[in-house]
Amino acid sequence: MAEIIYAKYNKLRRKAFRICTVICEERGERWVEKRALCPEAEEHIARMVDMGARLKAVYPKIDFVPARKVETGVRFDYLTGVTVDSRIAQTAKTAKALKREFAEVFRWILPSGKSKVPVDLDCNLDNFLIVGDRIVCLDYEWVAESEVPVDFLKYRVINYYYGAHPETVRLISEADLLAEFKISAEDQACFKAMEKEFQKYVFGEEENARYTDNYRLPIIDFDRMVKEQKEEIRRLREENTELQKVVGHYSQVEGKLRKIGLWQLLQAGQKIGRKVKTLIKK
C-alpha cells in the first residue's frame, strides 16, 4: 500500500480550486498526485491531463511532466534535480549575473513573439527543474486559455523570485530589474493590479487577504543592516580584546595568590561581598 510522505493542502482557495498535492511512495517508487478536496475541484484537476501536451506545442524548449488520470486524481512522475530558482539563487552573485540569468531563463520558459494560447501562468522558477541539459516543468496547474501579455509573465517570474529571495535587493532592486526587461513603472502598476485580480479569482476576497498576509515580508534596508552588523562585529572584537587582557591579568593574580595561600580567602571574600550587596539592595 502506498505511503504519503508529503502533503500540501490548498484549503483557502475557492472551492473550485481546492486541491492537495501529495508525494506517495511504495516499494521504493515515488510519484506525485494532485487530488480534489471537494467535488467542485474535480474539473480543475481533470483538465491537467491533456494540458502538458498542449503546452509543449507552445513551449518547444520545455519538457512537461505528463499527467495521467488515476482513481484518486491526477498522477505525475517524481523527478529530482535542481530547480531553476535554486540555480539562480546559488550562482547569480552580481546584478550583471542576475540579468544574464533571467534573460537566459526567459528565452527558455516564455513563449516567443506574441502571446499564444494556452499560456502557462504558473511559470514561477521553482516549478522548473534542470534535468541534464533540459528544463522540465513540474507544475502547470494554472493555464490561461486567452491571450496574456508576455511581459506580465516576466513580471510574475521576477516578482515571485524577489518574494522568495528578498536579499536579492542587495544586487539590484526589483523595479530596476523589471526595467531592464523593458517593463516600465506604468506597466508594473498595471501588472500588479492584474496579479491582484488573479489572486482574487483563485482565493476569493477574504481568502486572498488571509492567504497573502502569511507571506507578506518586511521591507529590509540591507545597506543599513550590513553597516550595523559591521559596527557590532567591531565592538565585539574590541570587547573580546579587553576581556582577554583582563583574563590574562586575573590568571596571573590567581597564580600568585595560590602560592601564598590566599586564594581560598579571596573566594570567601567574594561570597561575602555578594551577600552584602544583596542586603544593601533589600
Side-chain angles (χ1 to χ4, degrees):
M1 183 176 179
E3 176 186 3
I4 295 177
I5 61 175
Y6 169 86
K8 176 184 176 182
Y9 291 83
N10 299 113
K11 293 182 178 180
L12 297 180
R13 296 175 177 179
R14 292 169 52 205
K15 285 187 176 182
F17 307 123
R18 289 180 187 174
I19 69 170
C20 68
T21 302
V22 298
I23 298 177
C24 302
E25 184 175 52
E26 184 176 20
R27 298 175 183 174
E29 179 186 1
R30 290 185 179 182
W31 65 90
V32 180
E33 287 186 15
K34 289 185 179 290
R35 303 172 178 176
L37 291 177
C38 56
E40 292 88 342
E42 291 177 357
E43 181 180 352
H44 181 63
I45 290 288
R47 68 191 297 267
M48 299 180 196
V49 175
D50 67 341
M51 197 56 68
R54 293 179 61 192
L55 286 168
K56 180 65 177 177
V58 180
Y59 302 84
K61 296 180 181 179
I62 300 294
D63 290 336
F64 292 84
V65 179
R68 56 186 181 276
K69 179 68 176 174
V70 293
E71 184 178 352
T72 50
V74 175
R75 179 177 297 187
F76 302 83
D77 292 339
Y78 178 84
L79 301 178
T80 59
V82 178
T83 65
V84 173
D85 180 276
S86 296
R87 202 278 300 275
I88 292 179
Q90 292 168 6
T91 61
K93 302 302 182 182
T94 65
K96 183 178 180 180
L98 192 68
K99 294 175 186 177
R100 183 174 61 249
E101 289 284 355
F102 272 99
E104 181 66 17
V105 163
F106 288 154
R107 281 194 288 270
W108 278 80
I109 71 170
L110 297 178
S112 59
K114 294 183 178 181
S115 305
K116 300 179 181 180
V117 178
V119 174
D120 182 14
L121 287 176
D122 209 11
C123 52
N124 305 324
L125 301 185
D126 56 357
N127 284 334
F128 293 90
L129 200 66
I130 301 172
V131 181
D133 60 350
R134 298 291 296 171
I135 295 181
V136 181
C137 180
L138 302 175
D139 193 339
Y140 40 89
E141 181 182 351
W142 300 105
V143 176
E145 296 283 3
S146 59
E147 189 169 290
V148 174
V150 173
D151 282 348
F152 175 56
L153 302 180
K154 292 180 182 179
Y155 169 84
R156 291 196 90 231
V157 170
I158 292 176
N159 182 251
Y160 274 74
Y161 182 84
Y162 272 79
H165 305 281
E167 70 280 2
T168 306
V169 298
R170 291 182 296 181
L171 306 179
I172 184 174
S173 71
E174 180 181 343
D176 287 343
L177 184 59
L178 287 166
E180 179 72 17
F181 293 99
K182 312 302 181 185
I183 302 176
S184 66
E186 292 78 9
D187 287 337
Q188 292 177 36
C190 176
F191 295 152
K192 183 177 181 180
M194 289 173 62
E195 176 65 17
K196 185 176 182 179
E197 290 303 312
F198 175 64
Q199 295 299 326
K200 285 182 182 179
Y201 171 70
V202 176
F203 295 100
E205 293 286 350
E206 294 182 5
E207 289 84 349
N208 178 47
R210 288 166 54 197
Y211 185 86
T212 54
D213 281 346
N214 292 334
Y215 297 92
R216 193 162 290 160
L217 298 172
I219 296 175
I220 302 173
D221 185 339
F222 280 96
D223 290 336
R224 178 177 60 80
M225 185 179 70
V226 170
K227 183 179 179 180
E228 290 176 352
Q229 287 181 339
K230 287 182 178 179
E231 179 62 26
E232 180 67 10
I233 291 172
R234 184 193 63 77
R235 184 184 65 78
L236 290 173
R237 283 176 176 171
E238 290 180 354
E239 289 183 358
N240 184 55
T241 300
E242 293 300 318
L243 182 61
Q244 287 178 346
K245 291 180 181 179
V246 171
V247 170
H249 176 71
Y250 187 74
S251 297
Q252 292 177 359
V253 172
E254 176 186 347
K256 292 178 181 180
L257 289 174
R258 285 185 184 279
K259 286 182 180 180
I260 61 177
L262 294 179
W263 178 244
Q264 289 79 9
L265 180 61
L266 180 59
Q267 286 184 314
Q270 288 177 330
K271 292 180 180 178
I272 293 172
R274 286 194 291 270
K275 290 181 179 179
V276 171
K277 288 182 179 179
T278 302
L279 291 172
I280 291 174
K281 289 181 179 179
K282 292 182 177 178

